[in-house]
Every structure is written in C-alpha cells, then in structure tokens.
Amino acid sequence: FHLNDKEMNFESQEINRFMSHRFDFDNQHKNTFDDWVGAFEKAVAKRAVDGCFTGLSSGYDSGALTNELVKQGVKFKVWIIDKNENKEIINRRLGKIKEYKRVELTGEELAKEKERLGGKITNDKYTIRYNGQETPMHILDDPASSALGIMCQDAKKEGREVYLSTQGGDEILSDYSLLPSQSELKGHYPKNLKEWYNFRHGCQFSYLMKEERIPRAYGIETRYPFLDIDLVQEFLWLSSELKNLCYKAPLHYYLTENLVPFEVGVKRGFAPI
C-alpha cells in the first residue's frame, strides 16, 4: 500500500515511525510465543510511567495491558464504561487494579463533548472499509471519540498527562476477524503474507487520528504499546500456524499464562449508552 503525505504526517513521532517502518512480512519462522511476550513486556515498560491512565474493558487488549502494568508495578488508573461489557470479567480484573473510575455516559453528555471537540480538532473523514466500501463517517461521528474526550478531561484534572492506548491490537493481531465486513484477512493469515489494508490504513489510520488528536486537545500525550515496532515484527515472524491458532493468538496465550480473566473469541465493541 502506498502511504501519502497525510499518512506520514502525524504529530506523534511514534506513529510516524510505525507508518514509515519497513516490516518483514516474508519470514514467518517462529514457533513459540516467547519472543512476542518478551517484546510485549518491553513495549509496555518503554511507555509506562507512574500516573499514566488507560481504559479498561472486558476485551483482550486492555486485559493484557493492565495486567502488564500491574506486573511491572506501575501506578496507573483506568476508566471503565461497561455498558456493553462483561461486568463479571471487569470486576475480576479490578481485583488487581488499585485506582479506577466507572463512568456512566448519557447521550446528552456525549453530544456536548462532540460539540466541544468540534472546536478543538480537525474532524477528518475515516477511511474504514465495510465490504469494500469506504465509510462516510468522520472522527466526531464516532461516539468513542466523545467518550475518549471525557476520559481525558477527567484525567487531566487529576494531573495525568500520559494515556496508554491499545490501538493496533485489533488491526494487527486479528484484522477484525470477528467483524468480517471490515476485515480483509477474515481471520486467516496466509503463508504468503503481505501487508493488509488495516495494518496501516483503514481502521488503523482512522482510529489513530482519534487517539492522537483528542488527548492532545486536552494536553495529554498518547503512547502506543501495541504499535511498538519490535512487537509488531515479532507477531509478523510467528508462523502462520501460530497466528491462526485462535483469535488474537499471542494475546490468548499471554492472558492464559497470566491467569487474566477473558471471554474466549469475543469482541464486544464500544457502546457507551
């Protein structure tokens, strides 16, 4: 895929490094998850600081990220919007997390935040494809954008300035296989692997606009453990058999090994109200 100037011009140097990096797609040779797990631990360690924050759902990505923060002794806080989540899973995860806030959002609150953000960010169009057709949705049409803005406002009031995003987990580790209308690979990584649309475009590019611009509007830096270049490369080097073993196979392995509660093969998606 060709990257245009816009896609190479995020303010975040971390995103620009990911966007411009030449990954090796040709050598799927590793037959254990050990190196991926090691790279994940390092990716979190490089970005985590005391006082950082993130969101917590019942999904794979946030479960792994928060567990690793706990393991590394980082002082952090999570925000939870659990309207569409498995509350039992979240409650079990919270047993290890010291600081958290549950948020109940109304349609009116989301609408007010959308209006506020309209004066703060450039509301560019998403490039996500559904069944091959590009969506007409813009950043602020996504209710997750308003929810992120509200979380960042709260966090900034507490003096928190670093947000750890789970962006990249869906795009790289599954290509949205559980949402086939927006997936190219449909859950199957071929032996002849090539870069797929959501790897740097589509969902990746669209949600990165959201994850960078909205926290920045409130004076917060976003960091991206799942887009760590070494971590992404370790996933690409996994054998196709390991990649295809199950949904988000390396995360499944990590969560299982670390006794993190999760729903096998489930993606619930964001639903704030």
Side-chain angles (χ1 to χ4, degrees):
F1 293 104
H2 174 71
L3 292 169
N4 60 41
D5 290 341
K6 182 179 179 183
E7 291 168 311
M8 294 284 288
N9 196 31
F10 284 89
E11 291 188 51
S12 166
Q13 292 306 303
E14 184 176 6
I15 297 176
N16 287 330
R17 283 194 296 271
F18 169 79
M19 286 292 188
S20 62
H21 187 76
R22 288 184 174 271
F23 289 96
D24 176 13
F25 288 84
D26 297 327
N27 295 288
Q28 300 182 82
H29 63 287
K30 296 199 175 184
N31 294 310
T32 77
F33 293 115
D34 294 346
D35 289 343
W36 185 93
V37 171
F40 178 64
E41 293 169 347
K42 291 177 182 177
V44 174
K46 283 191 289 185
R47 292 162 177 83
V49 292
D50 284 345
C52 65
F53 69 100
T54 190
L56 177 66
S57 71
S58 55
Y60 284 52
D61 305 342
S62 70
L65 175 58
T66 53
N67 182 77
E68 191 58 35
L69 290 170
V70 170
K71 282 179 64 179
Q72 295 187 17
V74 179
K75 297 176 182 177
F76 69 102
K77 184 172 181 176
V78 298
W79 268 253
I80 306 153
I81 303 169
D82 59 7
K83 181 70 174 179
N84 191 45
E85 301 294 339
N86 184 316
K87 293 179 176 59
E88 179 186 355
I89 295 291
I90 289 178
N91 289 336
R92 290 169 62 193
R93 291 177 176 182
L94 287 175
K96 293 183 177 181
I97 297 173
K98 293 181 179 179
E99 293 189 81
Y100 63 90
K101 180 177 181 178
R102 292 185 185 268
V103 181
E104 294 286 343
L105 296 179
T106 66
E108 181 180 1
E109 288 173 315
L110 291 172
K112 285 182 178 179
E113 180 61 16
K114 179 178 179 179
E115 182 178 358
R116 186 181 297 112
L117 286 171
K120 290 178 173 288
I121 72 167
T122 302
N123 187 25
D124 280 327
K125 183 177 172 296
Y126 277 176
T127 61
I128 300 169
R129 292 176 182 171
Y130 294 93
N131 296 319
Q133 299 297 312
E134 197 168 285
T135 179
M137 180 182 289
H138 287 66
I139 297 171
L140 296 181
D141 297 326
D142 185 347
S145 296
S146 295
L148 177 59
I150 291 169
M151 177 174 69
C152 287
Q153 283 188 79
D154 272 359
K156 186 66 173 181
K157 290 174 183 175
E158 297 182 2
R160 300 178 188 276
E161 297 183 343
V162 174
Y163 163 55
L164 297 184
S165 171
T166 57
Q167 178 58 35
D170 288 312
E171 291 76 10
I172 293 166
L173 301 179
S174 74
D175 187 35
Y176 290 90
S177 61
L178 300 183
L179 301 172
S181 66
Q182 64 190 69
S183 175
E184 179 183 345
L185 296 177
K186 312 294 185 189
H188 177 73
Y189 291 86
K191 289 187 179 295
N192 182 23
L193 186 64
K194 297 179 181 179
E195 184 170 327
W196 55 97
Y197 183 65
N198 283 324
F199 186 89
R200 274 186 263 232
H201 298 72
C203 294
Q204 188 78 273
F205 176 73
S206 300
Y207 296 144
L208 279 172
M209 290 194 296
K210 166 176 68 71
E211 295 287 294
E212 180 190 34
R213 293 180 189 180
I214 293 172
R216 190 178 292 272
Y218 290 109
I220 288 170
E221 176 191 358
T222 309
R223 299 180 183 179
Y224 304 91
F226 285 94
L227 293 182
D228 181 88
I229 287 172
D230 293 335
L231 179 64
V232 173
Q233 187 60 70
E234 286 295 343
F235 176 73
L236 296 175
W237 278 336
L238 291 175
S239 69
S240 58
E241 290 79 10
L242 276 190
K243 288 188 183 77
N244 294 324
L245 193 61
C246 56
Y247 176 66
K248 291 188 177 180
L251 276 183
H252 182 114
Y253 175 83
Y254 175 90
L255 295 169
T256 302
E257 289 293 301
N258 285 274
L259 303 178
V260 181
F262 71 107
E263 295 179 287
V264 176
V266 173
K267 178 174 176 58
R268 290 177 172 268
F270 180 77
I273 58 176

